[in-house]
Amino acid sequence: RDLHYPLRRQRQMCIRDRVSTQSTGGLKMTSQQAIEKLLEENRYSVEIIPELENYIKQQVDDKSYNFEANIALLKLYQLYPEKQKIAHIQQILVKALMNLPNNDFLLCLYIIPERIQADDLIDKIKQLSNCLETGRFKEFWEKLNSWTEASKQLESIPGFREAVQNYILDILTRAYLSIQKQFLSESLNLDLTKLDAFVTAKDWKHTDQIIWFPLQQQAKPVRVVENVRFDQLTKVLQTLK
């Protein structure tokens, strides 16, 4: 008989009671402030794993994102490998991928064991990430569209396609002043009809072949002036001898 079970159960109930929830259409929603408090008080407690798992599912459903909560769950999976759930790790990686150009995806990947990374869907997510990071956008869509089951799982994440397209568009508008329409069509995985509607909605100048991006606002250079006295400079030079 496990004599510590009642104490663990009582502690788990206390933690659960401290996490404020609100009901939305019968679904319990955990506030970000409650999660922050939970991590502050019990970051390495095994009892908070179910709350963090519910929270990643909530992030998927309402298109929100909390990197700190997700990385905390991955660290707890490190400490308690018997608690690991592949489905939640997959969701965390997809949400991190959707947050490019931030390096959240790599930070998450570093603390996921290799045996978990060998999972078929996770391996495919890594391939897609590499395509995006290296600017191989056409290849990204070719891979995604060729993986029937994986594509279905990834596209089931609300906002996945839009997040990827926004990232690609951000990269291209920073890199080019104008672009071939066919190239942009392939990069965004939009047929020419949809692309024309998209460009028109953006009010971008275009012809049958070329699209002109609006000028990006450039950051002004900052001039830094440092006043160094000669006697200070000689002391530095003496230390280098």
Side-chain angles (χ1 to χ4, degrees):
R1 180 177 173 82
D2 185 357
L3 298 179
H4 296 289
Y5 175 77
L7 293 176
R8 290 205 312 272
R9 181 64 177 167
Q10 183 181 21
R11 184 182 180 192
Q12 188 174 21
M13 293 301 292
C14 290
I15 291 174
R16 187 171 299 164
D17 290 341
R18 282 201 297 272
V19 178
S20 64
T21 59
Q22 57 185 5
S23 179
T24 305
L27 178 67
K28 285 188 175 181
M29 306 290 284
T30 305
S31 71
Q32 182 172 329
Q33 292 78 10
I35 289 294
E36 289 173 357
K37 184 176 181 181
L38 190 69
L39 293 176
E40 183 180 343
E41 297 177 354
N42 303 281
R43 180 175 292 270
Y44 298 107
S45 171
V46 66
E47 282 88 359
I48 73 170
I49 288 179
E51 297 295 343
L52 294 178
E53 290 174 338
N54 288 333
Y55 191 50
I56 180 60
K57 289 189 289 185
Q58 179 181 317
Q59 292 174 59
V60 169
D61 292 338
D62 63 15
K63 297 184 181 181
S64 60
Y65 182 64
N66 189 322
F67 172 72
E68 290 300 326
N70 297 345
I71 203 76
L73 178 57
L74 292 179
K75 289 178 179 179
L76 284 169
Y77 280 162
Q78 272 191 316
L79 294 174
Y80 308 98
E82 72 280 2
K83 298 290 185 180
Q84 290 174 345
K85 293 185 177 66
I86 294 286
H88 295 312
I89 296 175
Q90 293 168 346
Q91 289 174 329
I92 288 173
L93 287 176
V94 174
K95 293 294 287 186
L97 186 64
M98 292 167 63
N99 202 45
L100 284 171
N102 292 324
N103 62 351
D104 298 3
F105 184 85
L106 290 177
L107 292 175
C108 290
L109 205 59
Y110 290 151
I111 60 175
I112 296 175
E114 289 187 7
R115 63 179 180 81
I116 300 294
Q117 293 189 32
D119 170 74
D120 182 64
L121 181 58
I122 291 179
D123 180 65
K124 285 180 167 60
I125 296 171
K126 288 165 58 180
Q127 292 182 48
L128 294 177
S129 171
N130 185 257
C131 287
L132 291 177
E133 293 278 12
T134 54
R136 293 177 287 124
F137 304 135
K138 181 181 177 181
E139 184 179 341
F140 171 92
W141 298 111
E142 288 174 344
K143 285 180 178 291
L144 181 64
N145 295 332
S146 68
W147 299 330
T148 305
E149 188 58 35
S151 176
K152 187 185 301 182
Q153 290 178 268
L154 294 172
E155 298 269 18
S156 69
I157 305 293
F160 173 76
R161 179 174 288 265
E162 293 81 1
V164 171
Q165 289 173 330
N166 288 337
Y167 166 72
I168 293 173
L169 194 60
D170 181 65
I171 295 297
L172 294 179
T173 54
R174 291 175 185 274
Y176 298 97
L177 292 177
S178 63
I179 194 169
Q180 290 286 333
K181 185 176 288 187
Q182 183 63 38
F183 179 70
L184 184 59
S185 171
E186 294 171 350
S187 297
L188 296 179
N189 195 40
L190 292 174
D191 62 43
L192 292 176
T193 301
K194 290 182 179 179
L195 182 62
D196 282 338
F198 177 80
V199 170
T200 300
K202 291 283 189 180
D203 197 26
W204 290 344
K205 291 173 56 180
H206 63 98
T207 65
D208 291 340
Q209 302 294 329
I210 305 291
I211 297 171
W212 283 269
F213 292 135
L215 291 175
Q216 295 282 335
Q217 186 174 4
Q218 300 294 327
K220 295 182 179 180
V222 178
R223 183 181 180 186
V224 178
V225 178
E226 294 186 4
N227 296 316
V228 181
R229 299 196 311 272
F230 182 75
D231 61 316
Q232 294 174 322
L233 183 60
T234 54
K235 289 181 180 179
V236 173
L237 293 175
Q238 287 174 359
T239 62
L240 298 176
K241 291 182 179 179

